[in-house]
């Protein structure tokens, strides 16, 4: 059967559109009426950015859509993205008091409904503050950096964001599959922030295109929100073979048309069992892979992907091979992947982080045939860059005062994934957004006495 | 529209000289029982408050409220048998003084109720004004308890008593006097006119409606009951809004009631408030919605109202007051030749057939259950038989499935009144011939 390229692209476009349909007006209205409008509501406590959830829902019920969107975006500058990517069952919806009587309110979907309305109706929700004569450079235009930029712009700072990629938004723009979070949503949030007079310099890599010390010298404060880097090596033989991909790179390739077609009819194995592994696997399914398996050296209990993501992958037909440790990527003569050699593992005593250790079962080696390997075993740090900054860090995790986001250099703040790890911080987009806000407020506090306006 | 779409309309209002930062006042009721409560309300953003009615201290009973829940929505209607303040007058006056001092720009109005006696009115008016209130609201409305003692709605149902007592209050008053009217009367304009004749600076309406919230079918006792016995209470909340809105509108279009109106009765959100103001209310008073959700509801009231005004480029909320009054008239002035019909959008319709059965059994038998060429069930209106009653679109559970469409009439507009006067003139013509 011959299928033309435009037809394939159209089909792929369909497969990569958002899987969760938006609430209809009637659904949103009825659901909003169901909200009890609790006082001192547990959903607010459970939201890392503290969105006044009952208020934004009450505003949907009263027909005050602009007020609803504003309530959300005031607390969370990336609230439209978070409406789609937050693990709501572990946060707001998990805390909803109706879990104890009927069913929790669909808070994420209502948040999406309200922010979608603002996007569609081209609403201006905020206005920049009176200039206070102070300037801040933000390295990294992901959720944490954007959130800090928005709050600082409202407070009257002159803010410049330096973004290495072609577009700002970070993980929300490039790192989350389109069928969960379309790029346009993240770019709308970027645009909202640019409308406040924030300068976003894209395609500029600090440390390469502009030295960091220059930012430090020409600004009152600098915020590091550089996130993390690519997936590290598996450190097994065959790593450089044709057909080995980085899950983050793979997701990024599918955020815009034209969609890649290199995985069509391929057998794919994904290494790792976090949310990025799920994204890599479900992306592969949608790109036409014949079979997709997730290989994980521990068991179902230890996997870090959210339950909802796990469920989603299973619905997509992704297979899971637990207690399976890849040991060698097998290639043919021309250097193309043909299989993954694995060993079976067994669980033993729990490690320091509470997750059980694994150890190989002797003589259990076996081969899984495959044409492509997608690596999703975490992310590297921008270690060499961080080392040059002369601030305290632990293996590339920048150390901060968690109350203020201040680093060991009082002129430098850090937030987002760059401070996540070694028991510090949280990996969620919504936590990054809150950290950005915290950095902005404390920086403002520290500069208050010196600013002119 | 203001700079890049961000603008804030002026929400300040003025009711007969009583100004407040916004049109949202708490009505005289349990939420305004004390200085603590009123101050909390002002901190939350309320523009004014009418203090719970002052008078000779009374005794209250225990078990006071009941609500009517409707199909899973709580508090569609609310019923109470609580009386006026049960706190000593001096305590209330001291707290009024302190509250006004703390919130000089907010409206603090005292609700008053005494027996129909000139001296009693003079005395309470003077005492209350000495505490620094911005105005007075005479409670001629409470239908329960106090009415049995000749006060509240008992005096509010007699136009002469309304006029006389308003006059007495006005004799002593230096601040504006608002007369709060009872809806437990055939024609509220009769008592509103009496209040105006007595010198009222404004009228407010409605107070609560005589009600019995329910009967417990297991115990056979009334709801609520006090040790097994009940008495009628006053009904309010969302369910009474249409009654209140009509009474406000009737007064607003009556040229003899030429004083401002403070509207209340079931106002629960900013949209309701706009409806009352469009129909002539200069501000609104709210109680049940606050009792259901707390004072914080005022944030959306203010936010929703200002966004509504901003979106329309209306600079001040006062510019909407009474704008719909000219559209509200007598039945005899409605155009007999105006015609709407129902149209069913079968692509949206979910085939519950509720429109068909409503029309077939209870209206004009003009919705047919048919099959389309593919054999799918569809519903279709025979437009020539449709009278445009709206019933089908009212029972339809899906947005956009039934549109009421205006049809062009071949005939010029003609009202009943015009028709009757035309017939009369034709008769005259015959006679002269």
């Amino acid at each position: 059967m011959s299928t033309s390229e435009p037809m394939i692209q159209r089909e792929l476009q369909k497969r990569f559109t958002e899987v969760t349909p938006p609430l209809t007006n009637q659904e949103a209205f009825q659901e909003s009426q169901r909200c009890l409008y609790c006082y001192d509501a547990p959903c607010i406590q459970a939201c890392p950015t503290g969105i006044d959830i009952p208020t934004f829902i009450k505003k949907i019920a009263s027909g005050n859509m602009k007020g609803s969107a504003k309530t959300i975006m005031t607390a969370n500058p990336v609230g439209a993205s978070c409406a789609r990517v937050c693990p709501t069952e572990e946060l707001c919806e998990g805390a909803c008091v109706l879990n104890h009587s009927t069913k929790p309110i669909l808070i994420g979907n209502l948040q999406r409904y309200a922010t979608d309305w603002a996007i569609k109706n081209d609403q201006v929700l905020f206005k920049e503050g009176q200039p206070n004569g102070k300037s801040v450079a933000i390295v990294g235009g992901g959720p944490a950096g954007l959130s800090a930029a928005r709050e600082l712009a409202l407070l009257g700072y002159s803010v410049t964001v330096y973004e290495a990629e072609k577009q700002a938004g970070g993980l929300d723009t490039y790192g989350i599959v389109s069928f969960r979070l379309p790029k346009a949503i993240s770019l709308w949030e970027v645009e909202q922030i640019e409308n406040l007079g924030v300068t976003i310099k894209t395609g500029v890599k600090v440390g390469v295109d502009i030295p960091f010390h220059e930012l430090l010298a020409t600004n009152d404060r600098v915020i590091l929100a550089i996130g993390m880097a690519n997936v590290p090596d598996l450190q097994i033989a065959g790593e450089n073979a044709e057909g080995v991909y980085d899950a983050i790179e793979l997701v990024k390739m599918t955020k815009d048309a034209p969609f890649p077609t290199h995985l069509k009819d391929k057998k794919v194995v994904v290494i790792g069992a976090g949310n990025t592994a799920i994204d890599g696997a479900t992306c592969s399914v949608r790109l036409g892979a014949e079979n997709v398996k997730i290989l994980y050296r521990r068991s179902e209990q230890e996997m870090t992907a959210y339950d909802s993501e796990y469920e989603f992958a299973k619905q997509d037909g992704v297979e899971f091979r637990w207690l399976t440790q890849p040991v060698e990527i097998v290639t043919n003569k021309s250097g193309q992947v043909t299989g993954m050699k694995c060993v079976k593992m067994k669980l033993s005593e729990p490690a320091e982080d509470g997750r059980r250790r694994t150890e190989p079962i002797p003589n259990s080696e076996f081969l899984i045939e495959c044409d492509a390997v997608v690596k999703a075993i975490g992310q590297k740090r921008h270690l060499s860059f961080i080392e040059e900054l002369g601030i305290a860090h632990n293996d590339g995790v920048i150390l901060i005062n968690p109350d203020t986001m201040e680093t060991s250099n009082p002129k430098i703040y850090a937030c987002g994934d760059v401070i996540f790890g070694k028991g510090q911080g949280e990996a969620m987009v919504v936590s990054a957004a809150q950290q950005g806000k915290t950095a902005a407020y404390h920086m403002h506090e520290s500069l208050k006495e010196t600013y002119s306006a | 529209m203001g700079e890049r779409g961000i603008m804030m309309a002026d929400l300040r209002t003025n009711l007969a000289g009583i100004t407040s930062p916004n049109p949202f006042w708490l009505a005289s009721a349990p939420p305004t029982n004390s200085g603590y409560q009123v101050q909390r309300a002002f901190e939350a953003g309320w523009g004014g408050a009418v203090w719970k009615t002052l008078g000779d201290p009374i005794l209250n009973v225990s078990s006071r409220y009941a609500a009517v829940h409707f199909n899973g929505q709580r508090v569609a209607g609310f019923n109470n048998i609580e009386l006026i303040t049960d706190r000593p007058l001096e305590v209330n006056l001291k707290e009024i003084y302190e509250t006004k001092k703390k919130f000089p720009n907010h409206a603090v109005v005292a609700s008053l109720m005494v027996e129909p006696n000139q001296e009693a009115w003079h005395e309470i008016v003077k005492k209350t004004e000495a505490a620094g209130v911005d105005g007075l609201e005479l409670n001629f409305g409470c239908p329960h308890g106090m009415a049995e003692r000749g006060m509240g709605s008992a005096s509010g149902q007699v136009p002469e008593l309304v006029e006389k007592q308003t006059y007495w209050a006005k004799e002593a008053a230096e601040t504006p006097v608002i007369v709060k009217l009872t809806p437990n009367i055939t024609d509220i304009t009769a008592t509103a006119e009496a209040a105006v004749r007595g010198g009222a600076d404004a009228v407010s309406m409605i107070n609560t409606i005589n009600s019995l919230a329910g009967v417990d079918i297991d115990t056979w006792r009334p709801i609520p009951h006090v040790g097994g016995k009940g008495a009628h209470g006053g009904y309010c909340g969302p369910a009474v809004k249409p009654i209140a809105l009509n009474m406000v509108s009737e007064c607003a279009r009556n040229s003899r009631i030429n004083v401002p109106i403070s509207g209340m009765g079931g106002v629960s959100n900013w949209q309701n408030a706009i409806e009352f103001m469009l129909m002539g209310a200069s501000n609104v008073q709210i109680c049940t919605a606050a009792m259901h959700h707390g004072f914080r509801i005022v944030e959306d009231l203010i936010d929703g109202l200002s966004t509504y005004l901003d979106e329309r480029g209306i600079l001040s909320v006062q510019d909407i007051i009474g704008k719909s009054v000219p559209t509200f008239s007598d039945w005899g002035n409605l155009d007999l030749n105006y015609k709407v019909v129902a149209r069913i959008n079968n692509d949206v319709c979910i085939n519950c057939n509720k429109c068909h059965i409503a029309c077939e059994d209870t209206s004009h038998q003009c919705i047919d259950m048919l099959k389309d060429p593919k054999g799918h069930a569809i519903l279709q209106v025979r437009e020539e038989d449709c009278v445009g009653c709206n019933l089908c679109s009212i029972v339809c559970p899906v947005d956009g499935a039934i549109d009421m469409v205006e049809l062009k009439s071949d005939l010029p507009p003609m009202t009943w009144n015009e028709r009757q006067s035309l017939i009369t003139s034709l008769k005259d013509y015959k006679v002269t011939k």
Side-chain angles (χ1 to χ4, degrees):
Chain A
M1 194 175 69
S2 72
T3 321
S4 72
E5 177 65 18
M7 265 180 70
I8 294 172
Q9 286 298 328
R10 266 203 304 279
E11 171 59 25
L12 286 174
Q13 185 74 61
K14 234 189 279 167
R15 292 188 198 167
F16 279 85
T17 50
E18 226 172 336
V19 283
T20 312
L23 295 180
T24 63
N25 293 341
Q26 205 168 352
E27 282 174 318
F29 182 69
Q30 286 176 0
E31 188 66 2
S32 69
Q33 294 290 353
R34 213 164 61 80
C35 172
L36 300 180
Y37 192 51
C38 299
Y39 175 70
D40 195 14
C43 54
I44 306 177
Q45 315 291 337
C47 175
T49 58
I51 295 175
D52 188 344
I53 292 161
T55 293
F56 96 67
I57 295 178
K58 179 95 179 158
K59 288 180 179 181
I60 293 176
S62 86
N64 178 9
M65 291 307 300
K66 184 174 184 176
S68 179
K70 197 169 172 182
T71 299
I72 295 163
M73 298 303 290
T74 298
N76 185 347
V78 292
S81 291
C82 283
R84 294 161 161 89
V85 304
C86 267
T88 51
E89 70 278 8
E90 291 173 27
L91 301 172
C92 50
E93 291 174 20
C96 178
V97 298
L98 290 179
N99 280 295
H100 307 298
S101 63
T102 52
K103 265 191 230 150
I105 298 294
L106 299 173
I107 298 169
N109 286 346
L110 287 172
Q111 184 168 325
R112 177 174 156 193
Y113 178 79
T115 48
D116 276 355
W117 180 90
I119 294 171
K120 269 186 228 133
N121 291 280
D122 208 14
Q123 290 293 311
V124 178
L125 301 176
F126 303 99
K127 194 169 176 281
E128 63 261 42
Q130 280 294 316
N132 66 13
K134 299 279 168 191
S135 72
V136 177
I138 299 177
V139 189
L146 289 176
S147 174
R150 210 282 303 269
E151 294 306 275
L152 290 168
L154 295 182
L155 291 166
Y157 288 81
S158 159
V159 184
T160 309
V161 177
Y162 296 88
E163 170 57 52
E165 294 285 353
K166 267 194 286 190
Q167 287 172 307
L171 187 77
D172 291 346
T173 296
Y174 292 108
I176 293 166
V177 289
S178 312
F179 45 91
R180 282 243 173 280
L181 175 59
K183 204 173 187 178
I185 304 299
S186 172
L187 295 181
W188 174 77
E189 290 166 342
V190 173
E191 193 189 302
Q192 288 276 305
I193 291 158
E194 282 180 309
N195 286 342
L196 300 174
V198 171
T199 306
I200 301 184
K201 294 191 170 171
T202 53
V204 178
K205 209 163 177 195
V206 176
V208 176
D209 302 314
I210 181 169
F212 182 77
H213 65 77
E214 193 181 312
L215 301 186
L216 207 53
T218 55
N219 289 281
D220 295 288
R221 293 288 185 271
V222 177
I223 297 180
L224 284 171
I226 57 176
M228 289 196 268
N230 288 347
V231 179
D233 288 341
L234 297 168
Q235 295 183 325
I236 58 176
E239 189 109 39
N240 299 318
E242 178 91 10
V244 179
Y245 305 100
D246 173 322
I248 293 168
E249 285 299 316
L250 181 68
V251 170
K252 193 167 149 187
M253 286 163 73
T254 63
K255 289 291 283 195
D256 271 323
F259 295 93
T261 51
H262 63 294
L263 290 182
K264 190 166 167 12
D265 301 329
K266 297 284 163 64
K267 293 194 221 18
V268 179
V269 297
V270 180
I271 317 301
N275 293 310
T276 302
I278 302 280
D279 278 358
T282 51
C283 258
S284 302
V285 170
R286 281 169 163 65
L287 289 173
E290 180 197 315
N291 176 277
V292 180
K293 292 183 180 70
I294 282 185
L295 312 185
Y296 185 45
R297 66 193 166 96
R298 304 188 211 228
S299 76
E300 202 173 345
Q301 277 73 48
E302 288 82 23
M303 75 183 290
T304 55
Y306 303 140
D307 288 346
S308 55
E309 292 280 329
Y310 177 35
E311 199 47 47
F312 180 70
K314 285 196 285 190
Q315 295 295 328
D316 251 15
V318 173
E319 295 172 21
F320 288 80
R321 295 285 180 273
W322 309 114
L323 296 163
T324 300
Q325 169 86 58
V327 290
E328 186 192 332
I329 296 168
V330 184
T331 58
N332 61 16
K333 277 181 209 146
S334 50
Q336 275 173 328
V337 175
T338 59
M340 178 68 89
K341 208 177 271 177
C342 304
V343 293
K344 290 196 174 148
M345 308 293 281
K346 64 178 180 191
L347 290 169
S348 56
E349 292 313 299
E352 273 168 32
D353 64 359
R355 297 198 299 177
R356 293 175 72 185
R357 288 175 209 276
T358 53
E359 54 185 78
I361 298 172
N363 306 318
S364 64
E365 212 164 89
F366 68 105
L367 183 79
I368 297 176
E369 263 184 52
C370 63
D371 314 299
V373 174
V374 177
K375 303 184 292 180
I377 55 164
Q379 280 178 274
K380 284 192 284 195
R381 307 261 165 197
H382 297 288
L383 195 57
S384 57
F385 175 74
I386 289 166
E387 270 174 342
E388 280 171 27
L389 305 177
I391 54 174
H393 69 92
N394 179 359
D395 254 351
V397 178
I398 293 178
L399 299 178
I400 41 108
N401 172 345
D403 297 328
T404 62
M405 299 291 145
E406 207 177 343
T407 67
S408 60
N409 178 344
K411 268 194 84 177
I412 306 175
Y413 287 69
C415 47
D417 272 353
V418 74
I419 64 152
F420 169 65
K422 313 280 177 189
Q424 186 179 268
E426 289 275 355
M428 296 177 291
V429 172
V430 66
S431 317
Q434 181 58 25
Q435 291 162 7
K437 283 163 62 187
T438 306
Y441 302 152
H442 284 278
M443 178 178 296
H444 183 57
E445 204 56 43
S446 78
L447 284 168
K448 232 177 182 174
E449 284 148 28
T450 63
Y451 76 85
S452 55
Chain B
M1 197 67 42
E3 190 184 345
R4 291 178 56 188
I6 296 187
M7 180 186 96
M8 276 289 273
D10 188 352
L11 297 189
R12 284 174 302 174
T13 51
N14 184 330
L15 180 90
I18 308 171
T19 56
S20 61
N22 63 55
F24 303 111
W25 290 12
L26 281 172
S28 172
T32 58
N33 190 44
S34 66
Y36 172 77
Q37 291 167 283
V38 173
Q39 288 172 31
R40 267 177 78 85
F42 288 167
E43 274 158 21
W46 291 84
V50 184
W51 211 273
K52 189 167 162 78
T53 306
L54 310 178
D56 282 335
I58 50 81
L59 297 172
N60 263 313
V61 290
S62 161
S63 183
R64 303 179 190 179
Y65 308 142
V68 175
H69 309 308
F70 189 73
N71 289 352
Q73 285 290 325
R74 296 189 78 80
V75 197
F78 194 83
N79 169 96
N80 89 89
I81 55 169
E82 187 172 290
L83 303 185
I84 65 171
T85 186
D86 52 15
R87 303 176 343 132
L89 183 62
E90 307 75 61
V91 173
N92 278 311
L93 294 178
K94 182 169 162 279
E95 291 178 11
I96 287 173
Y97 173 79
E98 288 163 357
T99 305
K100 189 61 208 173
K101 212 168 168 192
K102 247 178 156 170
F103 294 91
N105 298 320
H106 289 62
V108 178
V109 173
S111 171
L112 306 177
M113 183 195 285
V114 288
E115 52 203 85
N117 164 313
Q118 187 178 22
E119 269 168 51
W121 279 108
H122 284 184
E123 191 188 333
I124 195 145
V125 164
K126 282 178 190 154
K127 274 189 182 167
T128 312
E129 287 193 334
V133 293
D134 298 302
L136 306 167
E137 186 182 75
L138 315 186
N139 181 343
F140 296 152
C142 275
H144 50 274
M146 304 309 286
E148 293 168 21
R149 302 170 208 177
M151 289 178 268
S153 67
S155 58
Q157 286 160 338
V158 184
E160 294 72 31
L161 277 176
V162 171
E163 181 178 345
K164 197 178 279 179
Q165 293 185 94
T166 306
Y167 187 78
W168 290 334
K170 280 295 288 180
E171 282 180 331
E174 285 171 10
T175 63
V177 170
I178 308 162
V179 173
K180 184 168 176 180
L181 299 170
T182 176
N184 297 306
I185 185 165
T186 311
D187 180 1
I188 199 164
T189 62
T191 44
E193 284 184 29
V196 173
R197 285 196 302 274
D201 298 293
V203 287
S204 59
M205 67 199 72
I206 59 172
N207 206 307
T208 55
I209 304 170
N210 286 344
S211 62
L212 170 57
V215 177
D216 185 321
I217 60 169
D218 294 318
T219 64
W220 299 6
R221 288 166 162 174
I223 301 170
H225 72 86
V226 177
K229 249 188 200 154
H232 83 264
Y235 198 48
C236 54
V240 311
K241 193 199 102 187
I243 298 168
L245 190 57
N246 174 57
M247 289 183 171
V248 166
S249 308
E250 290 293 354
C251 289
R253 75 186 182 96
N254 181 321
S255 60
R256 286 183 296 277
I257 306 167
N258 54 358
V259 296
I261 301 169
S262 180
M264 81 197 93
V267 177
S268 305
N269 58 38
W270 58 273
Q271 299 189 347
N272 298 161
I274 291 168
E275 291 177 86
F276 274 80
M277 294 187 80
L278 286 171
M279 275 299 174
S282 293
N283 70 4
V284 290
Q285 297 187 34
I286 294 173
C287 169
T288 309
M291 290 181 77
H292 192 176
H293 300 296
F295 293 146
R296 65 208 161 116
I297 59 165
V298 76
E299 197 260 338
D300 184 40
L301 292 171
I302 292 170
D303 188 35
L305 174 62
S306 34
T307 303
Y308 171 87
L309 297 170
D310 289 350
E311 280 172 356
R312 286 159 182 77
I314 300 168
L315 299 176
S316 163
V317 68
Q318 307 212 64
D319 294 342
I320 68 168
I321 296 169
K323 284 293 188 288
S324 294
V325 174
T327 68
F328 192 63
S329 183
D330 290 334
W331 193 95
N333 294 327
L334 306 181
D335 178 10
L336 297 168
N337 291 331
Y338 177 77
K339 173 112 171 122
V340 289
V341 294
R343 280 214 189 124
I344 297 171
N345 302 311
N346 277 292
D347 48 336
V348 181
C349 170
I350 58 173
N351 290 90
C352 68
N353 301 328
K354 288 188 74 76
C355 58
H356 166 81
I357 201 61
C359 188
E360 197 68 16
D361 285 353
T362 70
S363 196
H364 291 77
Q365 300 79 44
C366 67
I367 299 180
D368 295 327
M369 294 173 72
L370 305 170
K371 296 256 191 259
D372 72 5
K374 285 181 183 158
H376 299 135
I378 58 162
L379 291 147
Q380 205 168 307
V381 178
R382 290 194 316 281
E383 288 185 8
E384 63 276 23
D385 295 329
C386 175
V387 302
C389 73
N390 291 340
L391 179 63
C392 56
S393 71
I394 289 167
V395 300
C396 179
V398 182
D399 287 344
I402 302 183
D403 293 325
M404 297 304 299
V405 188
E406 191 177 327
L407 291 189
K408 255 218 163 99
S409 174
D410 301 332
L411 300 165
M414 161 91 57
T415 68
W416 172 261
N417 290 343
E418 286 165 350
R419 182 177 177 272
Q420 293 312 103
S421 64
L422 200 64
I423 291 170
T424 313
S425 68
L426 286 176
K427 274 183 201 153
D428 292 348
Y429 179 70
K430 260 184 204 163
V431 172
T432 54
K433 207 178 173 186

